[in-house]
Short mmCIF file of all heavy atoms in Angstrom, two decimals:
data_model
loop_
_atom_site.label_atom_id
_atom_site.label_comp_id
_atom_site.label_asym_id
_atom_site.label_seq_id
_atom_site.Cartn_x
_atom_site.Cartn_y
_atom_site.Cartn_z
N ARG B 505 -17.77 200.48 123.73
CA ARG B 505 -17.97 199.64 124.96
C ARG B 505 -19.42 199.53 125.30
O ARG B 505 -19.74 199.31 126.47
CB ARG B 505 -17.15 200.22 126.10
CG ARG B 505 -15.66 200.09 125.96
CD ARG B 505 -14.96 200.87 127.15
NE ARG B 505 -13.52 200.68 127.17
CZ ARG B 505 -12.65 201.33 126.39
NH1 ARG B 505 -13.11 202.23 125.52
NH2 ARG B 505 -11.40 201.08 126.49
N GLU B 506 -20.27 199.75 124.30
CA GLU B 506 -21.74 199.83 124.63
C GLU B 506 -22.42 198.48 124.61
O GLU B 506 -23.62 198.41 124.97
CB GLU B 506 -22.40 200.75 123.58
CG GLU B 506 -22.10 202.21 123.88
CD GLU B 506 -22.31 203.06 122.64
OE1 GLU B 506 -23.12 202.64 121.76
OE2 GLU B 506 -21.71 204.14 122.56
N ASP B 507 -21.77 197.42 124.25
CA ASP B 507 -22.38 196.15 124.11
C ASP B 507 -21.39 195.06 124.60
O ASP B 507 -20.26 195.39 124.89
CB ASP B 507 -22.93 195.83 122.70
CG ASP B 507 -21.86 196.16 121.66
OD1 ASP B 507 -20.71 195.64 121.80
OD2 ASP B 507 -22.11 196.93 120.78
N VAL B 508 -21.87 193.85 124.77
CA VAL B 508 -21.03 192.80 125.34
C VAL B 508 -19.78 192.56 124.59
O VAL B 508 -18.69 192.50 125.13
CB VAL B 508 -21.84 191.43 125.49
CG1 VAL B 508 -20.88 190.31 125.90
CG2 VAL B 508 -22.94 191.58 126.52
N LEU B 509 -19.85 192.50 123.26
CA LEU B 509 -18.58 192.25 122.50
C LEU B 509 -17.66 193.43 122.59
O LEU B 509 -16.44 193.29 122.62
CB LEU B 509 -18.89 191.88 121.00
CG LEU B 509 -19.69 190.60 120.76
CD1 LEU B 509 -19.86 190.37 119.26
CD2 LEU B 509 -19.07 189.46 121.46
N GLY B 510 -18.23 194.68 122.61
CA GLY B 510 -17.41 195.87 122.74
C GLY B 510 -16.68 195.84 124.07
O GLY B 510 -15.45 196.19 124.14
N ARG B 511 -17.38 195.46 125.14
CA ARG B 511 -16.70 195.43 126.42
C ARG B 511 -15.69 194.27 126.53
O ARG B 511 -14.62 194.42 127.15
CB ARG B 511 -17.75 195.27 127.57
CG ARG B 511 -18.51 196.59 127.81
CD ARG B 511 -19.41 196.56 129.06
NE ARG B 511 -20.56 195.72 128.87
CZ ARG B 511 -21.71 196.12 128.32
NH1 ARG B 511 -21.84 197.36 127.84
NH2 ARG B 511 -22.74 195.29 128.22
N LEU B 512 -16.08 193.17 125.90
CA LEU B 512 -15.12 192.02 125.96
C LEU B 512 -13.82 192.28 125.19
O LEU B 512 -12.75 191.92 125.68
CB LEU B 512 -15.84 190.77 125.31
CG LEU B 512 -15.41 189.41 125.76
CD1 LEU B 512 -15.41 189.24 127.29
CD2 LEU B 512 -16.23 188.34 125.08
N VAL B 513 -13.87 192.99 124.05
CA VAL B 513 -12.65 193.25 123.28
C VAL B 513 -11.79 194.26 123.96
O VAL B 513 -10.59 194.35 123.70
CB VAL B 513 -13.03 193.62 121.82
CG1 VAL B 513 -13.44 195.10 121.72
CG2 VAL B 513 -11.86 193.38 120.93
N HIS B 514 -12.36 195.04 124.90
CA HIS B 514 -11.57 196.05 125.65
C HIS B 514 -11.25 195.49 127.02
O HIS B 514 -10.68 196.26 127.87
CB HIS B 514 -12.30 197.32 125.79
CG HIS B 514 -12.40 198.08 124.49
ND1 HIS B 514 -13.52 198.06 123.68
CD2 HIS B 514 -11.45 198.78 123.83
CE1 HIS B 514 -13.27 198.78 122.59
NE2 HIS B 514 -12.07 199.26 122.64
N ALA B 515 -11.60 194.24 127.34
CA ALA B 515 -11.41 193.71 128.71
C ALA B 515 -9.95 193.27 128.92
O ALA B 515 -9.21 193.02 127.97
CB ALA B 515 -12.31 192.55 128.94
N GLU B 516 -9.62 193.22 130.23
CA GLU B 516 -8.35 192.55 130.61
C GLU B 516 -8.73 191.20 131.13
O GLU B 516 -9.63 191.01 131.98
CB GLU B 516 -7.69 193.36 131.71
CG GLU B 516 -7.02 194.62 131.21
CD GLU B 516 -5.79 194.98 132.09
OE1 GLU B 516 -5.69 194.48 133.22
OE2 GLU B 516 -4.95 195.75 131.61
N ILE B 517 -8.02 190.17 130.63
CA ILE B 517 -8.31 188.78 131.06
C ILE B 517 -6.99 188.31 131.76
O ILE B 517 -5.93 188.27 131.16
CB ILE B 517 -8.60 187.90 129.88
CG1 ILE B 517 -9.81 188.44 129.10
CG2 ILE B 517 -8.82 186.48 130.34
CD1 ILE B 517 -11.15 188.35 129.81
N ALA B 518 -7.15 188.03 133.07
CA ALA B 518 -5.95 187.60 133.90
C ALA B 518 -4.83 188.62 133.72
O ALA B 518 -3.66 188.25 133.56
CB ALA B 518 -5.52 186.22 133.49
N GLY B 519 -5.18 189.91 133.74
CA GLY B 519 -4.16 191.02 133.70
C GLY B 519 -3.62 191.33 132.36
O GLY B 519 -2.77 192.22 132.24
N GLU B 520 -4.12 190.65 131.34
CA GLU B 520 -3.59 191.00 129.96
C GLU B 520 -4.75 191.43 129.09
O GLU B 520 -5.90 190.99 129.28
CB GLU B 520 -2.95 189.70 129.35
CG GLU B 520 -1.85 189.03 130.11
CD GLU B 520 -0.59 189.77 129.90
OE1 GLU B 520 -0.41 190.47 128.94
OE2 GLU B 520 0.32 189.68 130.83
N PRO B 521 -4.46 192.27 128.11
CA PRO B 521 -5.54 192.60 127.10
C PRO B 521 -6.09 191.36 126.44
O PRO B 521 -5.36 190.42 126.15
CB PRO B 521 -4.86 193.48 126.13
CG PRO B 521 -3.56 193.96 126.67
CD PRO B 521 -3.14 192.88 127.68
N ALA B 522 -7.43 191.29 126.32
CA ALA B 522 -8.07 190.09 125.73
C ALA B 522 -7.56 189.89 124.26
O ALA B 522 -7.70 190.81 123.46
CB ALA B 522 -9.59 190.28 125.72
N PRO B 523 -7.01 188.75 123.94
CA PRO B 523 -6.53 188.45 122.58
C PRO B 523 -7.77 188.48 121.64
O PRO B 523 -8.75 187.86 121.92
CB PRO B 523 -5.93 187.10 122.63
CG PRO B 523 -5.73 186.77 124.08
CD PRO B 523 -6.77 187.56 124.83
N GLN B 524 -7.63 189.18 120.54
CA GLN B 524 -8.77 189.36 119.63
C GLN B 524 -9.35 188.05 119.09
O GLN B 524 -10.52 187.87 118.96
CB GLN B 524 -8.39 190.34 118.53
CG GLN B 524 -9.61 190.86 117.75
CD GLN B 524 -9.35 192.09 116.99
OE1 GLN B 524 -8.70 192.98 117.44
NE2 GLN B 524 -9.81 192.09 115.72
N ASP B 525 -8.43 187.09 118.80
CA ASP B 525 -8.95 185.84 118.17
C ASP B 525 -9.80 185.09 119.16
O ASP B 525 -10.78 184.43 118.80
CB ASP B 525 -7.78 184.96 117.66
CG ASP B 525 -6.79 184.55 118.72
OD1 ASP B 525 -6.62 185.40 119.66
OD2 ASP B 525 -6.20 183.48 118.66
N ILE B 526 -9.42 185.12 120.48
CA ILE B 526 -10.32 184.46 121.42
C ILE B 526 -11.61 185.16 121.65
O ILE B 526 -12.65 184.61 121.81
CB ILE B 526 -9.52 184.22 122.76
CG1 ILE B 526 -8.23 183.40 122.48
CG2 ILE B 526 -10.41 183.47 123.76
CD1 ILE B 526 -7.49 183.00 123.74
N VAL B 527 -11.56 186.52 121.61
CA VAL B 527 -12.83 187.28 121.69
C VAL B 527 -13.73 186.85 120.53
O VAL B 527 -14.93 186.72 120.72
CB VAL B 527 -12.56 188.80 121.66
CG1 VAL B 527 -13.83 189.58 121.54
CG2 VAL B 527 -11.80 189.22 122.89
N VAL B 528 -13.16 186.69 119.35
CA VAL B 528 -14.01 186.26 118.21
C VAL B 528 -14.58 184.84 118.43
O VAL B 528 -15.73 184.58 118.14
CB VAL B 528 -13.21 186.30 116.86
CG1 VAL B 528 -14.02 185.77 115.75
CG2 VAL B 528 -12.72 187.72 116.63
N GLY B 529 -13.75 183.96 118.99
CA GLY B 529 -14.23 182.65 119.36
C GLY B 529 -15.40 182.70 120.40
O GLY B 529 -16.42 182.04 120.19
N GLN B 530 -15.25 183.50 121.37
CA GLN B 530 -16.33 183.63 122.36
C GLN B 530 -17.54 184.26 121.73
O GLN B 530 -18.68 183.86 121.98
CB GLN B 530 -15.88 184.56 123.54
CG GLN B 530 -14.57 184.23 124.19
CD GLN B 530 -14.57 182.97 125.02
OE1 GLN B 530 -15.48 182.18 124.94
NE2 GLN B 530 -13.52 182.80 125.84
N ALA B 531 -17.34 185.20 120.82
CA ALA B 531 -18.47 185.84 120.13
C ALA B 531 -19.27 184.83 119.31
O ALA B 531 -20.50 184.84 119.33
CB ALA B 531 -17.94 186.98 119.20
N MET B 532 -18.50 183.94 118.65
CA MET B 532 -19.20 182.91 117.80
C MET B 532 -20.00 181.95 118.73
O MET B 532 -21.14 181.61 118.45
CB MET B 532 -18.15 182.12 117.04
CG MET B 532 -18.79 181.35 115.91
SD MET B 532 -17.63 180.35 114.98
CE MET B 532 -16.62 181.61 114.26
N LEU B 533 -19.39 181.53 119.86
CA LEU B 533 -20.12 180.69 120.80
C LEU B 533 -21.39 181.40 121.23
O LEU B 533 -22.49 180.76 121.23
CB LEU B 533 -19.19 180.36 121.97
CG LEU B 533 -19.92 179.69 123.17
CD1 LEU B 533 -20.26 178.25 122.83
CD2 LEU B 533 -19.00 179.67 124.40
N LEU B 534 -21.29 182.62 121.69
CA LEU B 534 -22.46 183.30 122.29
C LEU B 534 -23.52 183.57 121.26
O LEU B 534 -24.70 183.44 121.52
CB LEU B 534 -21.99 184.65 122.90
CG LEU B 534 -21.06 184.53 124.09
CD1 LEU B 534 -20.54 185.92 124.47
CD2 LEU B 534 -21.70 183.92 125.26
N LEU B 535 -23.08 183.88 120.02
CA LEU B 535 -24.09 184.14 118.97
C LEU B 535 -24.85 182.86 118.57
O LEU B 535 -26.05 182.88 118.49
CB LEU B 535 -23.33 184.68 117.76
CG LEU B 535 -24.19 185.20 116.60
CD1 LEU B 535 -25.08 186.33 117.05
CD2 LEU B 535 -23.33 185.65 115.45
N ILE B 536 -24.15 181.75 118.45
CA ILE B 536 -24.77 180.50 118.04
C ILE B 536 -25.55 179.89 119.19
O ILE B 536 -26.74 179.64 119.05
CB ILE B 536 -23.77 179.49 117.49
CG1 ILE B 536 -23.12 180.04 116.21
CG2 ILE B 536 -24.39 178.15 117.26
CD1 ILE B 536 -22.00 179.16 115.64
N ALA B 537 -24.87 179.69 120.31
CA ALA B 537 -25.58 179.12 121.50
C ALA B 537 -26.72 180.04 121.95
O ALA B 537 -27.69 179.57 122.54
CB ALA B 537 -24.59 178.89 122.60
N GLY B 538 -26.55 181.33 121.63
CA GLY B 538 -27.58 182.31 122.13
C GLY B 538 -28.88 182.34 121.40
O GLY B 538 -29.78 182.98 121.85
N HIS B 539 -28.92 181.72 120.23
CA HIS B 539 -30.22 181.79 119.60
C HIS B 539 -30.78 180.39 119.19
O HIS B 539 -31.94 180.14 119.34
CB HIS B 539 -30.20 182.69 118.34
CG HIS B 539 -29.62 182.07 117.11
ND1 HIS B 539 -28.31 182.02 116.84
CD2 HIS B 539 -30.20 181.43 116.07
CE1 HIS B 539 -28.07 181.42 115.73
NE2 HIS B 539 -29.24 181.06 115.21
N GLU B 540 -29.86 179.49 118.80
CA GLU B 540 -30.36 178.20 118.30
C GLU B 540 -31.05 177.37 119.35
O GLU B 540 -32.12 176.80 119.18
CB GLU B 540 -29.10 177.42 117.74
CG GLU B 540 -29.48 176.24 116.95
CD GLU B 540 -28.20 175.48 116.52
OE1 GLU B 540 -27.18 175.52 117.24
OE2 GLU B 540 -28.23 174.90 115.43
N THR B 541 -30.39 177.31 120.57
CA THR B 541 -30.94 176.45 121.64
C THR B 541 -32.27 177.00 122.10
O THR B 541 -33.26 176.26 122.23
CB THR B 541 -29.90 176.51 122.83
OG1 THR B 541 -29.54 177.83 123.05
CG2 THR B 541 -28.74 175.64 122.49
N THR B 542 -32.32 178.32 122.39
CA THR B 542 -33.56 178.97 122.88
C THR B 542 -34.69 178.79 121.86
O THR B 542 -35.80 178.53 122.22
CB THR B 542 -33.30 180.43 123.19
OG1 THR B 542 -32.08 180.49 123.94
CG2 THR B 542 -34.44 181.01 124.02
N ALA B 543 -34.36 178.93 120.58
CA ALA B 543 -35.34 178.84 119.52
C ALA B 543 -35.99 177.53 119.56
O ALA B 543 -37.17 177.30 119.46
CB ALA B 543 -34.71 179.12 118.17
N ASN B 544 -35.14 176.43 119.66
CA ASN B 544 -35.71 175.08 119.71
C ASN B 544 -36.46 174.80 120.95
O ASN B 544 -37.46 174.05 120.91
CB ASN B 544 -34.53 174.08 119.49
CG ASN B 544 -34.11 174.01 118.05
OD1 ASN B 544 -34.91 173.65 117.20
ND2 ASN B 544 -32.85 174.44 117.79
N MET B 545 -36.05 175.38 122.00
CA MET B 545 -36.87 175.17 123.28
C MET B 545 -38.23 175.82 123.19
O MET B 545 -39.21 175.25 123.71
CB MET B 545 -36.04 175.72 124.47
CG MET B 545 -36.53 175.25 125.80
SD MET B 545 -36.40 173.44 125.95
CE MET B 545 -34.66 173.22 126.27
N ILE B 546 -38.29 176.98 122.52
CA ILE B 546 -39.58 177.60 122.42
C ILE B 546 -40.52 176.73 121.52
O ILE B 546 -41.68 176.51 121.93
CB ILE B 546 -39.39 179.04 121.77
CG1 ILE B 546 -38.70 179.97 122.76
CG2 ILE B 546 -40.76 179.61 121.32
CD1 ILE B 546 -38.23 181.27 122.16
N GLY B 547 -40.03 176.19 120.43
CA GLY B 547 -40.85 175.32 119.62
C GLY B 547 -41.35 174.09 120.36
O GLY B 547 -42.52 173.75 120.33
N LEU B 548 -40.42 173.46 121.09
CA LEU B 548 -40.73 172.27 121.82
C LEU B 548 -41.76 172.62 122.96
O LEU B 548 -42.59 171.83 123.31
CB LEU B 548 -39.48 171.59 122.39
CG LEU B 548 -38.63 170.90 121.35
CD1 LEU B 548 -37.28 170.48 122.00
CD2 LEU B 548 -39.31 169.69 120.71
N GLY B 549 -41.54 173.85 123.50
CA GLY B 549 -42.49 174.29 124.59
C GLY B 549 -43.88 174.40 124.05
O GLY B 549 -44.84 173.94 124.67
N VAL B 550 -44.05 174.99 122.87
CA VAL B 550 -45.44 175.09 122.28
C VAL B 550 -45.97 173.71 122.01
O VAL B 550 -47.15 173.41 122.40
CB VAL B 550 -45.38 175.89 120.96
CG1 VAL B 550 -46.77 175.92 120.29
CG2 VAL B 550 -44.95 177.31 121.19
N ALA B 551 -45.16 172.80 121.47
CA ALA B 551 -45.68 171.45 121.18
C ALA B 551 -46.06 170.74 122.53
O ALA B 551 -47.10 170.04 122.57
CB ALA B 551 -44.62 170.66 120.45
N THR B 552 -45.28 170.96 123.56
CA THR B 552 -45.55 170.27 124.84
C THR B 552 -46.87 170.82 125.45
O THR B 552 -47.61 170.07 125.98
CB THR B 552 -44.38 170.56 125.81
OG1 THR B 552 -43.19 170.12 125.17
CG2 THR B 552 -44.56 169.87 127.14
N LEU B 553 -47.13 172.11 125.29
CA LEU B 553 -48.29 172.75 125.88
C LEU B 553 -49.56 172.29 125.11
O LEU B 553 -50.66 172.37 125.71
CB LEU B 553 -48.15 174.20 125.94
CG LEU B 553 -47.16 174.71 126.99
CD1 LEU B 553 -46.87 176.21 126.87
CD2 LEU B 553 -47.61 174.37 128.43
N MET B 554 -49.46 171.80 123.88
CA MET B 554 -50.63 171.35 123.18
C MET B 554 -51.32 170.16 123.89
O MET B 554 -52.52 170.04 123.92
CB MET B 554 -50.26 170.89 121.74
CG MET B 554 -49.88 172.04 120.83
SD MET B 554 -51.15 173.28 120.50
CE MET B 554 -50.67 174.63 121.59
N ASP B 555 -50.48 169.35 124.52
CA ASP B 555 -51.01 168.22 125.29
C ASP B 555 -51.26 168.50 126.71
O ASP B 555 -51.63 167.63 127.49
CB ASP B 555 -50.01 167.00 125.24
CG ASP B 555 -49.97 166.40 123.77
OD1 ASP B 555 -50.97 166.58 123.03
OD2 ASP B 555 -49.00 165.70 123.44
N ASN B 556 -50.92 169.72 127.14
CA ASN B 556 -51.08 170.13 128.52
C ASN B 556 -51.71 171.54 128.58
O ASN B 556 -51.19 172.43 129.26
CB ASN B 556 -49.70 170.17 129.21
CG ASN B 556 -49.02 168.80 129.26
OD1 ASN B 556 -49.22 167.98 130.17
ND2 ASN B 556 -48.21 168.52 128.22
N ARG B 557 -52.84 171.72 127.90
CA ARG B 557 -53.36 173.03 127.74
C ARG B 557 -53.76 173.69 129.04
O ARG B 557 -53.71 174.92 129.18
CB ARG B 557 -54.59 173.03 126.80
CG ARG B 557 -54.32 172.74 125.35
CD ARG B 557 -55.40 173.26 124.45
NE ARG B 557 -55.26 174.65 124.16
CZ ARG B 557 -54.69 175.15 123.07
NH1 ARG B 557 -54.18 174.34 122.15
NH2 ARG B 557 -54.59 176.46 122.88
N GLU B 558 -54.11 172.87 130.07
CA GLU B 558 -54.52 173.41 131.36
C GLU B 558 -53.34 174.20 132.00
O GLU B 558 -53.56 175.02 132.85
CB GLU B 558 -55.03 172.29 132.27
CG GLU B 558 -53.99 171.35 132.85
CD GLU B 558 -53.42 170.37 131.83
OE1 GLU B 558 -53.86 170.32 130.67
OE2 GLU B 558 -52.50 169.59 132.23
N LEU B 559 -52.08 173.93 131.57
CA LEU B 559 -50.93 174.59 132.16
C LEU B 559 -50.69 175.98 131.52
O LEU B 559 -49.91 176.73 132.10
CB LEU B 559 -49.69 173.77 132.04
CG LEU B 559 -49.73 172.39 132.84
CD1 LEU B 559 -48.48 171.55 132.50
CD2 LEU B 559 -49.82 172.70 134.29
N ILE B 560 -51.30 176.23 130.40
CA ILE B 560 -51.02 177.49 129.73
C ILE B 560 -51.32 178.68 130.61
O ILE B 560 -50.56 179.67 130.65
CB ILE B 560 -51.83 177.61 128.39
CG1 ILE B 560 -51.23 176.58 127.40
CG2 ILE B 560 -51.75 178.99 127.78
CD1 ILE B 560 -52.05 176.41 126.13
N ALA B 561 -52.34 178.62 131.45
CA ALA B 561 -52.71 179.68 132.37
C ALA B 561 -51.60 180.04 133.31
O ALA B 561 -51.47 181.19 133.76
CB ALA B 561 -54.04 179.37 133.10
N ASP B 562 -50.73 179.07 133.57
CA ASP B 562 -49.64 179.31 134.54
C ASP B 562 -48.67 180.40 134.03
O ASP B 562 -47.97 181.04 134.80
CB ASP B 562 -48.80 178.04 134.76
CG ASP B 562 -49.53 177.01 135.67
OD1 ASP B 562 -50.73 177.27 135.99
OD2 ASP B 562 -48.86 175.99 136.00
N LEU B 563 -48.64 180.51 132.73
CA LEU B 563 -47.62 181.50 132.16
C LEU B 563 -47.88 182.93 132.58
O LEU B 563 -46.99 183.73 132.58
CB LEU B 563 -47.67 181.35 130.65
CG LEU B 563 -47.09 180.06 130.00
CD1 LEU B 563 -47.49 179.91 128.57
CD2 LEU B 563 -45.60 180.06 130.14
N ALA B 564 -49.19 183.23 132.91
CA ALA B 564 -49.54 184.63 133.22
C ALA B 564 -48.90 185.06 134.59
O ALA B 564 -48.80 186.23 134.83
CB ALA B 564 -51.02 184.76 133.27
N ASP B 565 -48.56 184.05 135.41
CA ASP B 565 -48.00 184.37 136.72
C ASP B 565 -46.51 184.08 136.69
O ASP B 565 -46.09 182.99 136.24
CB ASP B 565 -48.75 183.46 137.72
CG ASP B 565 -48.14 183.57 139.13
OD1 ASP B 565 -48.67 184.44 139.85
OD2 ASP B 565 -47.22 182.84 139.45
N THR B 566 -45.68 185.00 137.19
CA THR B 566 -44.25 184.88 137.03
C THR B 566 -43.73 183.60 137.73
O THR B 566 -42.98 182.81 137.15
CB THR B 566 -43.48 186.10 137.50
OG1 THR B 566 -43.93 187.21 136.73
CG2 THR B 566 -41.94 185.94 137.31
N ALA B 567 -44.19 183.37 139.00
CA ALA B 567 -43.67 182.22 139.75
C ALA B 567 -44.11 180.92 139.09
O ALA B 567 -43.34 179.97 138.91
CB ALA B 567 -44.12 182.27 141.17
#
Side-chain angles (χ1 to χ4, degrees):
Chain B
R505 291 174 172 81
E506 285 159 23
D507 46 55
V508 170
L509 295 185
R511 287 188 287 277
L512 205 54
V513 79
H514 290 100
E516 283 208 344
I517 303 292
E520 302 283 337
Q524 195 164 311
D525 59 329
I526 301 186
V527 173
V528 176
Q530 310 289 14
M532 196 183 294
L533 170 69
L534 295 170
L535 187 61
I536 294 175
H539 81 276
E540 190 184 32
T541 48
T542 314
N544 283 297
M545 197 60 79
I546 291 168
L548 289 169
V550 174
T552 303
L553 289 171
M554 290 297 102
D555 288 341
N556 298 274
R557 290 202 83 96
E558 73 287 356
L559 295 176
I560 290 172
D562 286 7
L563 290 164
D565 176 89
T566 300

